[in-house]
Amino acid sequence: MTDVEKLLSSCLFEVDNATNTKRLDDIKVAVLGKNGKLTEMLKSLRHMPEEERKTAGAEINAAKSDILKRIEAKAITLEILEMEKKLASEFLDVSMPARVRPSGSIHPLTKVAEEVADILSQYGFVFAEGPEIESEYYNFTALNIPDHHPARTMHDTFYLNYPADSNEGRKLLRTHTSPVQIRAMLANNKPPFRYFSIGRVYRSDYDATHTPMFNQIEGLMVGEGVSFAHLKYLMTDFLKKFFGVPKLTLRLRPSFFPFTEPSTEIDINYEVKNGRIAFGTGDKWLEVAGGGVVHPNVLRSGNVDPSKYQGFAFGFGLERLASLKYGISDLRGYFESDDRWRDAFGFNYVTK
Ligand code: PHE
């Protein structure tokens, strides 16, 4: 066997046994590439005498074309095989649901705050605000809660490590939005006026129905002859609009707040229908708000003459309203920024 014949047969053997196109390319390079074995043989021809060169050259060229043909044929077989393998392993299911892209959305509380603001504006209530870092004066004293009143401890107040002010007392995180009543009255003109506020408040409390930070809605209307009856009308109409029901019964339970007299706790009627809470029907009661007629001392704190003007005030928990409307039971979800919680309650799309 000549060297060429040996190379030819071992090369054809390797080609026949190649299992993928990559391997085939490697064989081609090793034999026919720039420094391939057969190429080297061709290069060495020039050192041969004329006669020998002719026959050797013919033999090498014949081997080269044999190898090329075999490689080409094998390449086609391998390509078909590889394609079949791919088709068998890669399955395209056009009926599969599309990949979900995470999307931003309006937070449930923002949505509900906007709903509330929309409705209250319809009655001419104007948005007012106050600081979250308040003083004892605005949070308590101006609201007729004297120094040693138990309501101060009932509120589980977070006091701040600031030096106390001689007029306003210690700094604290406001425990309710009622100090906005005082600030709005002081900052503005004579009655009549209607203000509302929505904002964060803080109390040292944490469980399924209490978070140390939550949001309140506050309303205040002052004018000549403004009475408890106006409060009742407004609350009824507001809650009907908010819950989207044609009728709703309110139960006004006598209560106590230092800043209103008389004071009331406001309940609405409901029943559970098909596992969902339905408002405005049934004979069960749920507390939704507190309110009352503004105490004369509070009007005085706001520079309003109580012998001339009267008013009412009310307060809601924003999370509570949102929870009742959207069936959310655990308050803590509002503040944990978990997309799954948000999506589970249907807030995953920007709807406004
Ligand atoms: N500020 C009261 C609270 O936080 C709620 C309230 C507001 C009650 C206005 C009456 C009038 O509990």
Side-chain angles (χ1 to χ4, degrees):
M1 238 194 204
T2 65
D3 285 351
V4 176
E5 283 169 339
K6 273 190 216 152
L7 179 60
L8 178 63
S9 80
S10 81
C11 179
L12 294 182
F13 179 78
E14 282 181 44
V15 170
D16 289 346
N17 287 297
T19 51
N20 56 59
T21 46
K22 163 87 174 67
R23 170 84 187 116
L24 212 52
D25 285 341
D26 292 345
I27 297 170
K28 193 173 172 183
V29 171
V31 181
L32 303 170
K34 230 170 97 205
N35 301 312
K37 285 184 193 145
L38 208 61
T39 314
E40 294 297 338
M41 286 180 175
L42 272 172
K43 282 186 202 161
S44 64
L45 282 180
R46 67 185 128 102
H47 307 297
M48 287 185 187
E50 175 91 44
E51 270 310 300
E52 263 175 67
R53 195 192 306 161
K54 261 193 181 166
T55 37
E59 192 189 15
I60 294 172
N61 278 320
K64 183 174 171 181
S65 90
D66 280 357
I67 292 170
L68 278 175
K69 272 188 213 143
R70 192 71 73 96
I71 287 178
E72 254 169 55
K74 183 71 179 185
I76 294 172
T77 325
L78 283 179
E79 269 166 30
I80 293 173
L81 276 176
E82 279 170 18
M83 175 66 78
E84 276 170 358
K85 225 166 112 189
K86 222 172 162 185
L87 286 175
S89 68
E90 288 175 17
F91 172 64
L92 181 65
D93 181 356
V94 291
S95 71
M96 241 163 72
R99 207 169 290 163
V100 178
R101 290 175 196 221
S103 62
S105 69
I106 293 176
H107 192 277
L109 288 181
T110 308
K111 185 166 187 289
V112 174
E114 284 173 1
E115 289 169 13
V116 167
D118 274 357
I119 304 172
L120 289 176
S121 319
Q122 290 169 27
Y123 309 113
F125 279 71
V126 175
F127 187 76
E129 60 184 344
E132 288 171 35
I133 295 180
E134 262 298 3
S135 63
E136 278 184 286
Y137 177 75
Y138 284 101
N139 196 79
F140 294 126
T141 318
L143 288 162
N144 196 41
I145 310 175
D147 273 356
H148 299 291
H149 196 279
R152 292 203 184 201
T153 39
M154 265 164 50
H155 276 200
D156 295 316
T157 313
F158 288 112
Y159 285 94
L160 299 180
N161 239 344
Y162 283 6
D165 180 287
S166 53
N167 293 318
E168 296 189 13
R170 284 178 289 173
K171 290 279 188 212
L172 47 79
L173 295 179
R174 67 178 180 190
T175 59
H176 53 175
T177 43
S178 298
V180 179
Q181 290 186 29
I182 308 295
R183 292 190 178 271
M185 284 192 280
L186 289 177
N188 292 283
N189 302 320
K190 281 191 348 183
F193 44 63
R194 278 163 273 189
Y195 291 112
F196 76 100
S197 190
I198 303 178
R200 296 187 191 102
V201 303
Y202 302 83
R203 292 181 199 178
S204 170
D205 217 348
Y206 188 65
D207 60 35
T209 54
H210 298 87
T211 49
M213 188 273 290
F214 59 102
N215 290 270
Q216 283 190 334
I217 303 155
E218 187 87 16
L220 171 72
M221 174 167 177
V222 176
E224 278 181 65
V226 175
S227 75
F228 196 89
H230 296 118
L231 172 66
K232 185 183 176 190
Y233 168 78
L234 184 84
M235 290 291 96
T236 309
D237 203 64
F238 169 83
L239 288 162
K240 279 201 303 207
K241 288 196 166 108
F242 178 75
F243 288 112
V245 293
K247 65 179 175 60
L248 190 68
T249 310
L250 258 56
R251 186 173 72 173
L252 303 178
R253 270 181 299 119
S255 184
F256 175 77
F257 299 106
F259 30 92
T260 46
E261 181 59 40
S263 302
T264 180
E265 219 88 62
I266 300 172
D267 302 344
I268 55 176
N269 71 319
Y270 78 99
E271 66 183 329
V272 177
K273 268 191 194 162
N274 309 321
R276 272 195 72 90
I277 194 163
F279 294 105
T281 69
D283 54 8
K284 295 202 171 74
W285 300 100
L286 254 175
E287 183 187 321
V288 292
V293 173
V294 182
H295 195 286
N297 288 345
V298 175
L299 292 176
R300 279 186 201 102
S301 306
N303 246 339
V304 170
D305 179 359
S307 67
K308 198 157 176 223
Y309 301 106
Q310 262 206 322
F312 65 75
F314 58 87
F316 289 96
L318 183 65
E319 288 79 4
R320 186 166 168 77
L321 279 191
S323 293
L324 292 175
K325 184 160 177 176
Y326 295 102
I328 299 168
S329 58
D330 193 325
L331 264 193
R332 291 170 290 200
Y334 285 110
F335 308 116
E336 284 170 358
S337 296
D338 186 334
D339 293 354
R340 292 166 303 176
W341 176 88
R342 180 198 65 184
D343 294 349
F345 289 104
F347 289 100
N348 49 343
Y349 296 114
V350 178
T351 50
K352 256 197 97 140

